[in-house]
Every structure is written in C-alpha cells, then in structure tokens.
Amino acid sequence: MPIYSEIMKQVHALSKEKLSKLDWGHLIIDEGQDFPEELYLILIEAQYKLNKNGFNHVTISVFADDNQTITSQNSSVKQIKAAMEMKRNDSRHYRIFENYRNSKEIYNFAKHFQVTGSNSTLEPKLETGDIPGVM
C-alpha cells in the first residue's frame, strides 16, 4: 500500500504540462483480473485529473474474467467496477455469456472449477465427441 500512496501523491501533483505527457487517449487493459485493485484506483484518479484539465477524450476499457485469475495480486470484476466507480446497472458494463472458446465436453469438465459458479457462461454449441481426460 505505501507505493500506492506515493503514486497517488504524484498523480495529484502533476502539472498541466506533465499531464499532457500522460494523456493516453483510450487505454485498453486485457486480463484485468490479474492486476491489483490499486491500479484501477490510480487510473481513475489520473483520468479524473486529466478530464478536469481539458483532456476529455481519456477513457479506459477493462476486459476481465474472474475464472481466469493467474496471479496472487488480482482483482475481481466486482472490485474493478467499484474502483472504477461503476454502479450496479451501469450501461458501461458489458458481460459476455456466450462461450466461443470451448467444446461442450471441455465446458462440462471446466465448470466444476469455476470461481463464479456454473452459470457464469452458457454451454457452447460446439461438440467434438471427445471426452476430456485428467492425468
């Protein structure tokens, strides 16, 4: 947490000239669940300061999946939404239920390990006929 506090102090102290160098336009974060919640708090604060100083086109998109976390310094989708000040029914939050990645057999095996439960995605339409095995 000390590094987070230091970064926030630096964001607050940025001059307009330095803010222009920070102007990222549209920032896209993929695998957002693998970043700490503090990152989103810092980015929202920086976005607020940029927008307040006339950089109105600064936006952030985050793609995250609670079922694909690979680090110990992670955030849940719920934490990301809270840090980014999104309300429960915020129209900026989109959720994809369709499963384009797996066959039915892999889906049925993998759903036993899902963090958010077996209803977090729909069963895919693709069927291979091969039953997955565990070794």
Side-chain angles (χ1 to χ4, degrees), residues 23-42:
D23 181 6
W24 60 69
H26 187 109
L27 176 63
I28 300 172
I29 299 173
D30 194 17
E31 304 297 346
Q33 73 278 358
D34 289 325
F35 295 96
E37 182 179 9
E38 290 82 11
L39 170 73
Y40 300 105
L41 296 169
I42 291 166

Side-chain angles (χ1 to χ4, degrees), residues 46-57:
Q47 180 187 31
Y48 174 76
K49 182 146 184 164
L50 283 160
N51 288 338
K52 187 177 174 184
N53 283 278
F55 302 97
N56 297 323
H57 62 280

Side-chain angles (χ1 to χ4, degrees), residues 10-11 13-24 49-50 55:
Q10 290 181 20
V11 168
L14 288 172
S15 65
K16 192 162 185 169
E17 179 186 334
K18 288 192 177 185
L19 275 172
S20 68
K21 294 177 183 177
L22 184 62
D23 181 6
W24 60 69
K49 182 146 184 164
L50 283 160
F55 302 97

